[in-house]
Amino acid sequence: LNCEQVLQFSEGLCAVRLNGLWGFIDKSGSIKVKHKYEKVYSFSEGLAPVNANDNWTFIDYDGKIKLSLKNYSEAEPFFNGIAKVKNDKVGFIDKEGKELIKTKYEDANHFYKENDLIAVKYEKWGVINKNDEVVIPFEFDVIGLINKNLFWVCKKNNVFRNGTIDIYGLYSSDGVKLLDVNYGKLKLLDFDILLISELSIRNKVNRYDLIEQEYSTSFKLYNIKQNIIYDLSKNYYSIEPFVNGLAKAINPRSLFEWVNYIDKMGNIKIPNLENNYDSDFYGNLIGGESFYDGYAPVSSKIQHYKSSSFEVTTPDGDTYVSESGGGEYRLWGIINLKGELVCSFKFKNIS
């Protein structure tokens, strides 16, 4: 088939456009639904929304009309037994065409099948269930999922003297507020651990004797199951996901990035200590990567080599002194989960 446009296969059928009209083919390329629609969506839960002559209907795999929609300007595929429909506003219908959630919202997005929750916009974004009951209040500029049981919420573009920042909070899928909207960052480091960047605000008098607010942030670890926040012992500026129970944490020092490895309570398990390893370079852990199968590559402190000079004679017999510039390098070794050096610092790179 010489198709003009193709959607992904879904439930064994693929929507394709020929001569400006849409139909459906199977995996052998045979036409299963004739090309007569101006707009279509892929199949979901046995039905596909299609539009012909500004009339939306839901068809089955054989192209038979199962549901005709006369009161809506658009329809989207079924998800969890309900489909998003639109006229001037957005609502949801069931497979019999009954309007379960009235068309009163500005926009809406489905979430996981397991939780039957929908994000809807009513001036601001909130979350409702299939019974149109409010789970998370309509107070936020953006709402998203961390996993099927956790929602992050965001208030955007909060203006302070030293910049503009989006701030975040956290809700459970049953509507319990876990974290106030007072965090500059939420990042999942493991299934049960979030990296959170707590916001601190202070008043400052400017040169016109007006009070302005400034913000600063500090990293903490949030245990999702226990609902506990752990302060970190150092001011890290980056923490990577946990592997083998440890996370790489970077602490800026002078011109270098110094690496520690921390546990899920923020305790330093493998410290970055002067003379921590018995090696020719007294192994400051300046560089390091995350663990994999119980081992992590780490680098020693940066080594410097001096410039050198030598005399060069040209074809004309002239001589001059040439210098090669100095430079720096670091050597890599490997540690285990106890922080023991199992391979000394002798490699230029480890991957």
Side-chain angles (χ1 to χ4, degrees), residues 103-253:
T103 50
K104 60 183 179 180
Y105 297 109
E106 297 171 37
D107 201 354
N109 293 314
H110 285 288
F111 285 122
Y112 275 105
K113 285 191 175 183
E114 290 90 337
N115 57 23
D116 283 341
L117 297 177
I118 309 160
V120 290
K121 186 176 183 182
Y122 194 76
E123 294 185 355
K124 293 284 189 178
W125 284 91
V127 173
I128 62 172
N129 60 24
K130 290 169 69 173
N131 297 321
D132 202 11
E133 297 167 334
V134 176
V135 178
I136 297 176
F138 297 94
E139 298 176 359
F140 307 104
D141 298 315
V142 191
I143 293 179
L145 278 175
I146 290 176
N147 58 40
K148 66 180 180 180
N149 297 316
L150 288 176
F151 290 87
W152 57 262
V153 296
C154 175
K155 293 182 178 180
K156 296 180 70 66
N157 300 324
N158 298 272
V159 179
F160 297 94
R161 180 180 181 272
N162 54 335
T164 300
I165 188 172
D166 298 339
I167 55 176
Y168 296 84
L170 191 70
Y171 279 81
S172 68
S173 59
D174 54 3
V176 176
K177 184 194 291 185
L178 301 175
L179 294 175
D180 289 328
V181 184
N182 190 43
Y183 296 89
K185 183 177 185 178
L186 299 177
K187 178 183 177 182
L188 193 65
L189 297 182
D190 207 347
F191 70 95
D192 59 345
I193 295 291
L194 273 176
L195 175 66
I196 59 178
S197 176
E198 189 171 36
L199 212 65
S200 297
I201 299 172
R202 65 172 185 167
N203 292 328
K204 187 169 183 178
V205 178
N206 65 20
R207 61 180 178 173
Y208 303 108
D209 291 329
L210 298 175
I211 296 177
E212 295 180 312
Q213 289 186 323
E214 287 187 341
Y215 76 89
S216 60
T217 58
S218 59
F219 281 139
K220 301 178 186 294
L221 294 180
Y222 175 65
N223 187 299
I224 298 169
K225 288 185 177 180
Q226 299 176 6
N227 194 26
I228 296 175
I229 295 175
Y230 295 105
D231 285 322
L232 297 174
S233 60
K234 290 183 179 293
N235 182 26
Y236 303 109
Y237 79 86
S238 177
I239 300 177
E240 296 189 0
F242 281 91
V243 181
N244 299 135
L246 295 178
K248 170 186 171 181
I250 301 175
N251 179 31
R253 271 185 165 186

Side-chain angles (χ1 to χ4, degrees), residues 51-68:
N51 181 283
N53 301 317
D54 292 327
N55 182 39
W56 282 92
T57 58
F58 281 88
I59 60 172
D60 64 13
Y61 301 137
D62 297 318
K64 296 178 181 177
I65 295 175
K66 292 297 182 180
L67 187 61
S68 182

Side-chain angles (χ1 to χ4, degrees), residues 14-72:
C14 173
V16 297
R17 190 176 71 176
L18 293 174
N19 300 319
L21 295 175
W22 289 88
F24 291 85
I25 61 172
D26 61 18
K27 291 184 178 180
S28 69
S30 300
I31 295 175
K32 301 298 292 183
V33 178
K34 291 182 179 180
H35 294 77
K36 57 182 180 179
Y37 302 107
E38 290 142 22
K39 187 174 181 180
V40 300
Y41 286 91
S42 297
F43 275 91
S44 175
E45 299 183 9
L47 298 172
V50 296
N51 181 283
N53 301 317
D54 292 327
N55 182 39
W56 282 92
T57 58
F58 281 88
I59 60 172
D60 64 13
Y61 301 137
D62 297 318
K64 296 178 181 177
I65 295 175
K66 292 297 182 180
L67 187 61
S68 182
L69 306 177
K70 297 181 179 179
N71 300 320
Y72 305 106

